[in-house]
Structure formats: C-alpha cells, structure tokens
Amino acid sequence: DTAVSQTPKYLVTQMGNDKSIKCEQNLGHDTMYWYKQDSKKFLKIMFSYNNKELIINETVPNRFSPKSPDKAHLNLHINSLELGDSAVYFCASSISIGNEKLFFGSGTQLSVL
Amino acid sequence: GNSVTQMEGPVTLSEEAFLTINCTYTATGYPSLFWYVQYPGEGLQLLLKATKADDKGSNKGFEATYRKETTSFHLEKGSVQVSDSAVYFCALSGNDYKLSFGAGTTVTVRA
C-alpha cells in the first residue's frame, strides 16, 4: 500500500482554470505538507497542517487554498491558474510537527498552458 | 533566516567512482541536518541525518558529518552504483518546524 498517495499524477490545464490535487496518507501521521518543486528542482514549502490545523503558510498567493477534512487528507485547490504555477507539487507527511522525517508522495506534475 | 547551499549539478560519474556533494548552511541556533534523495519518478525520501555537531549520519553506503566549524554537511559515498542515480537534497531544520531544502544536485552514474 502506498503510504502517501496523491492524485492526479499529471495535470494539464489552461490558464484561468481552477484545479484540485488530492493527497491521502495511511501512516497515521498528524502533520501534512504541500511542497512546490520548480523546473530547477528547487523545493519550497507551501503549507503545513497539524491535526487539520494550518501551521505554516509560506507567503503563497491566496489563489492556493489547502483543505484538510481530516488528518489523513490534505487537498490543494488552485484558482485562476497562471503559467507560473507550472511545477511539480509534492504532498508529504510526518509523525508530528517538528519531526523532520518526511514521507513524500510521488508528485503531481502541473502544466499550465 | 535558515538556508542551505549545495553544489550545483549535474554530476556524472562512472560506477565505483567516489561521490562528494558539498552542502553548507546558514542557521541560527543549532539546526538538525539531513540528506534526502529523489529517485526518478518518485517523491523524496530521507537518506540520512545528523542532529548535533560532529554527528555522522550514514545509510546505504552514504555518509555525512555535521561540521559546525565549517557549517557544512557534505555527502560522500566511496563507490557509487547505477542505482544511486538520483537527485540529492541537503536540508536543515531549525526551531520553526520548517525543513529548508537546498536546490538539489542531480547525480547520474554510468555503467
């Protein structure tokens, strides 16, 4: 069973559209994250949730809205997509806040045309 | 703020060659240091870590030593294999619950 699974794996869409990426972890972890990886492989944290509560919000445009219906799920909704949003988005989880052993999903490659 | 600078790639090696990837950091206090690895088509996974000065992290033949005096955490492996081809990320964690990653170094090992 996949520990951290995110869908879809690939997402191709037009500028201005709204899209969502889903993430689920079956590890029983309390903390989940969204990271963005650009074309140069640079990885930057976007959000972190602990037990459904927002802990970290790293100056991300408010077009990006995370939602955590329960501690096993952290979805990412993006409104009015822009060309610069094209990247690979990784979901991750850890046992608790402050635990640095992160378990990553395999990524969602978003291409905005 | 906290930041990590690592050697730019890409790095291409032959099998059984020695690999070093340099990593230096800037941080307040006493961060923990990590190396993560991303194999093709996969998410990152923790390779090794060190939580205090002079600690050595090791895993799968890779090693890195936490050097406070030089603020470094260089990754080394004595004899690489084709299966070590991946992107390697140095990272640090301070008191702010955030893991800050370096830019990643792509390593390709040729048979």
Side-chain angles (χ1 to χ4, degrees):
Chain A
D1 282 344
T2 304
V4 181
S5 58
Q6 52 184 110
T7 55
K9 193 170 177 61
Y10 301 98
L11 188 52
V12 181
T13 188
Q14 301 287 330
M15 266 197 315
N17 284 351
D18 303 337
K19 291 292 179 187
S20 292
I21 308 172
K22 295 185 176 181
C23 179
E24 176 182 4
Q25 53 95 2
N26 62 7
L27 298 166
H29 289 172
D30 284 348
T31 309
M32 295 185 73
Y33 311 81
W34 278 107
Y35 279 84
K36 179 180 180 180
Q37 186 177 47
D38 64 23
S39 59
K40 296 183 179 179
K41 301 290 187 183
F42 186 69
L43 199 65
K44 186 169 182 182
I45 190 167
M46 300 173 69
F47 301 102
S48 171
Y49 271 70
N50 188 60
N51 271 322
K52 304 190 297 177
E53 289 188 26
L54 181 65
I55 302 295
I56 295 171
N57 182 340
E58 278 293 291
T59 322
V60 177
N62 57 15
R63 298 183 295 104
F64 290 79
S65 52
K67 283 189 171 50
S68 183
D70 55 60
K71 73 174 193 177
H73 295 84
L74 180 61
N75 303 323
L76 183 65
H77 188 75
I78 315 170
N79 289 327
S80 304
L81 277 156
E82 301 177 358
L83 293 176
D85 297 332
S86 295
V88 181
Y89 292 84
F90 285 100
C91 178
S93 71
S94 63
I95 290 175
S96 60
I97 190 80
N99 187 300
E100 306 97 348
K101 184 171 182 180
L102 269 58
F103 292 75
F104 282 79
S106 55
T108 295
Q109 185 164 338
L110 172 64
S111 299
V112 182
L113 307 178
Chain B
N2 296 337
S3 67
V4 173
T5 302
Q6 64 181 96
M7 187 172 95
E8 283 190 28
V11 174
T12 303
L13 303 163
S14 297
E15 260 192 325
E16 300 183 4
F18 185 86
L19 171 67
T20 299
I21 305 175
N22 290 342
C23 172
T24 56
Y25 67 90
T26 302
T28 53
Y30 303 96
S32 295
L33 301 173
F34 308 85
W35 278 99
Y36 274 77
V37 59
Q38 182 181 20
Y39 297 106
E42 298 182 12
L44 283 73
Q45 54 186 278
L46 180 64
L47 180 60
L48 54 84
K49 73 175 188 179
T51 57
K52 60 183 188 297
D54 300 324
D55 268 2
K56 179 187 284 189
S58 60
N59 186 23
K60 299 183 180 180
F62 289 90
E63 292 183 342
T65 301
Y66 189 144
R67 300 282 187 205
K68 188 168 180 290
E69 62 276 13
T70 54
T71 61
S72 65
F73 192 56
H74 305 322
L75 182 69
E76 296 181 338
K77 184 171 184 180
S79 176
V80 293
Q81 304 300 313
V82 172
S83 57
D84 293 324
S85 298
V87 183
Y88 293 83
F89 293 87
C90 188
L92 74 78
S93 174
N95 296 328
D96 56 359
Y97 303 136
K98 289 185 229 174
L99 201 58
S100 298
F101 287 90
T105 302
T106 300
V107 173
T108 302
V109 180
R110 294 183 174 164

